Amino acid sequence: MTDQTGRSSSARGRRMADKARSGTRPPRAPRVEERDEAADIGVEARVAAGILLNAALEGRAGMDAAQAFREVSSLPAPDRAFARAVAMAALRRLGEIDQILDRKLQKGPPLAVRTILRVALAQTLVLETPAFAAVSTAVKLAERDTKTRPYKNLVNAVLRGIDREGPGLTTAESNLPEWLLARWRAAYGEATLTGLALAAREEPATDLSLKPGLDEAALAEALEGEILAGGTIRTGRRGDLASWPGFDDGVWWVQDAAAAVPVRLLAPQAGEQIVDFCAAPGGKTLQIAASGASVVALDRSAPRLKRLHENLARTDLTAEVVTVPAEDWEDDRTFDAVLLDAPCTATGTFRRNPEVLRATKPADVAKLADVQHRLLDAAAERVKPGGRLVYCVCSLEREEGETQIIAFLRRNPAFQTAPAVPADIGAPEEALTPEGWLRILPSMWAEKGGLDGFFVARLDRVA
């Protein structure tokens, strides 16, 4: 798969071209596919990769649910990791992969056959799996099922032809749905759209938030990472988190660098009373608790709060956790500060969750904007005079960000914007809007590996 300039026809050349265009990435541990035994991972792992890929294309939580399927859960841990890596690679490059396949196919084959081809090309063109291993197992996959067996020669011919002749030119923009391409082009311009498309191709590093009072430099060295603005540690390590330095000591938790910004803007202080609306999975609650403030964490989903309970125990932090929809919470307390990380389309998280680009539909934007409207009004009622409210969404859609705050300020004259200072809270300087809000884009900090997309605004209630 080549870059848009056509300068690279090999997978290695494509990687070099991508890095040259999108900035140097932090060091990372080898992927599953880069192990010496990668070629020995067999057909069952490829079956699982196809199942995970199709499950992700069917719905937002599809891949997570599919992890429990027998074809996936019964695999050895290395094979499960391989299957997930292949499925994620296919999701990130699906538009390009289909573009390449469509040039080779006179008519579209059944989905089961296309899945075999997608899985094979994700390996050879993205993960640099040896072509002989990917092609051989793809043909074996086709032979296994009576529905795909008639296509085994087609599978073999298409994959060998691509390996022999090269994939041809592709563009990063082809991985984005047309309706999002149009929206983001109109909202952010052509240059930023290209940056977003390039960011969508990349597998992100792991970001960690730390408890205060630690030797950040020593911990970053132990984790083979770097310290970002704001104190987040970014590491290229992969594998079981429980084996990483500091996990058992409870000194860090996984949280994207952008996701840590809203609490820094909220600026919780020891002894304050703070409520975190829509708290699960709980990274922001942990930040507030680590500041010494007293925090109430609300969320409607008990399963999603399970991770918060686990992390509170591991980090030895405390919070009052309440399982209830924020709008239905029957409690007459008001608070020094309220954090509302509202439900949203999550289009800003496509680096870590590429399935959101396929699962999100245009109608979802308006539907969730209505939910955000109601939650903002409910959150405002909980803010003491002189207190503060931080609203954030991990969405790139303006209806869920800027438009919400403009409308809220018209409805609530007791609140006013408290302008953010990016340098003080570990946010990209270019994220600051003229109104004093933050519009963080995944294409920012490209030289460091990017970050999730967020809209963040702090609103102070007049005393």
Side-chain angles (χ1 to χ4, degrees):
M1 198 175 304
T2 64
D3 76 348
Q4 292 165 299
T5 65
R7 289 173 295 181
S8 169
S9 61
S10 69
R12 186 172 302 278
R14 175 194 47 74
R15 276 191 189 281
M16 294 172 64
D18 283 355
K19 287 181 179 180
R21 299 179 66 200
S22 57
T24 303
R25 297 291 183 243
R28 61 168 178 81
R31 300 178 191 266
V32 175
E33 292 73 10
E34 292 169 342
R35 301 173 306 169
D36 292 340
E37 68 270 25
D40 296 330
I41 293 179
V43 173
E44 301 303 328
R46 269 77 171 187
V47 171
I51 289 171
L52 292 173
L53 170 61
N54 287 333
L57 293 175
E58 289 169 5
R60 189 179 294 261
M63 184 178 288
D64 289 339
Q67 301 280 353
F69 293 177
R70 178 186 56 78
E71 296 91 338
V72 181
S73 63
S74 62
L75 292 175
D79 286 18
R80 286 200 307 275
F82 175 87
R84 181 174 176 83
V86 171
M88 292 293 278
L91 277 173
R92 290 193 174 98
R93 301 289 186 115
L94 193 64
E96 292 177 273
I97 287 172
D98 282 350
Q99 201 173 41
I100 293 164
L101 288 175
D102 290 343
R103 293 173 186 150
K104 298 289 184 181
L105 298 167
Q106 291 185 349
K107 60 183 288 188
L111 176 60
V113 176
R114 184 173 283 271
T115 299
I116 292 171
L117 293 168
R118 285 168 166 174
V119 165
L121 289 185
Q123 295 167 67
T124 58
L125 299 181
V126 184
L127 301 176
E128 300 183 17
T129 300
F132 74 86
V135 175
S136 173
T137 50
V139 173
K140 290 177 182 177
L141 271 176
E143 289 176 337
R144 282 167 58 110
D145 193 302
T146 56
K147 295 179 181 178
T148 57
R149 194 172 299 143
Y151 296 90
K152 69 175 186 179
N153 291 336
L154 174 70
V155 168
N156 184 62
V158 167
L159 294 177
R160 291 194 183 281
I162 293 170
D163 182 50
R164 182 177 60 253
E165 301 164 12
L169 295 174
T170 61
T171 64
E173 286 83 353
S174 65
N175 298 311
L176 304 178
E178 286 294 332
W179 73 278
L180 283 175
L181 271 174
R183 289 178 66 88
W184 293 350
R185 181 180 287 111
Y188 303 116
E190 196 67 42
T192 297
L193 174 64
T194 298
L196 293 173
L198 289 171
R201 279 177 163 182
E202 300 295 332
E203 179 184 8
T206 301
D207 291 347
L208 308 174
S209 289
L210 313 182
K211 293 172 74 173
L214 300 173
D215 186 337
E216 294 178 355
L219 190 54
E221 182 178 2
L223 289 162
E224 306 165 67
E226 61 174 322
I227 303 172
L228 302 180
T232 292
I233 289 180
R234 173 162 292 179
T235 174
R237 290 175 67 110
R238 305 293 177 193
D240 183 13
L241 292 172
S243 67
W244 293 10
F247 179 87
D248 289 335
D249 298 326
V251 299
W252 53 257
W253 55 92
V254 176
Q255 186 177 33
D256 188 86
V261 168
V263 172
R264 297 190 195 124
L265 184 58
L266 189 72
Q269 304 297 314
E272 286 189 321
Q273 304 288 318
I274 297 176
V275 61
D276 181 3
F277 276 25
C278 311
K284 298 176 183 65
T285 298
L286 295 173
Q287 282 182 278
I288 296 169
S291 73
S294 175
V295 56
V296 179
L298 301 181
D299 201 276
R300 66 191 310 138
S301 172
R304 281 171 51 80
L305 283 171
K306 181 180 178 183
R307 189 188 304 177
L308 173 56
H309 284 291
E310 292 170 348
N311 275 324
L312 285 170
R314 182 176 63 85
T315 58
D316 196 28
L317 295 170
T318 59
E320 178 186 346
V321 181
V322 183
T323 307
V324 64
E327 313 99 294
D328 300 336
W329 187 35
E330 295 182 355
D331 190 301
D332 59 3
R333 282 178 287 178
T334 56
F335 296 84
D336 298 298
V338 175
L339 174 68
L340 172 56
D341 183 2
C344 67
T345 55
T347 51
T349 69
F350 59 67
R351 294 161 59 253
R352 302 188 187 280
N353 306 298
E355 66 273 16
V356 304
L357 297 178
R358 308 289 168 177
T360 304
K361 306 303 178 188
D364 295 338
V365 178
K367 182 169 66 175
L368 286 162
D370 184 59
V371 174
Q372 294 148 10
H373 175 120
R374 298 197 310 269
L375 285 170
L376 262 168
D377 286 347
E381 294 176 359
R382 300 287 179 174
V383 181
K384 292 179 179 178
R388 56 207 186 276
L389 165 64
V390 165
Y391 171 80
C392 63
V393 284
C394 54
S395 167
L396 301 186
E397 314 319 311
R398 291 185 179 273
E399 296 93 326
E400 301 183 83
E402 292 88 343
T403 301
Q404 285 291 344
I405 297 306
I406 291 169
F408 173 83
L409 290 173
R410 288 174 180 163
R411 297 193 306 272
N412 295 272
F415 286 84
Q416 59 188 17
T417 295
V421 181
D424 292 347
I425 55 177
E429 290 289 342
E430 62 269 36
L432 187 65
T433 73
E435 299 86 356
W437 310 326
L438 295 172
R439 169 53 76 184
I440 302 172
L441 298 175
S443 52
M444 295 175 180
W445 283 0
E447 72 285 356
K448 298 183 177 71
L451 69 176
D452 282 354
F454 262 85
F455 173 82
V456 191
R458 174 170 157 173
L459 309 167
D460 288 355
R461 183 167 187 169
V462 178

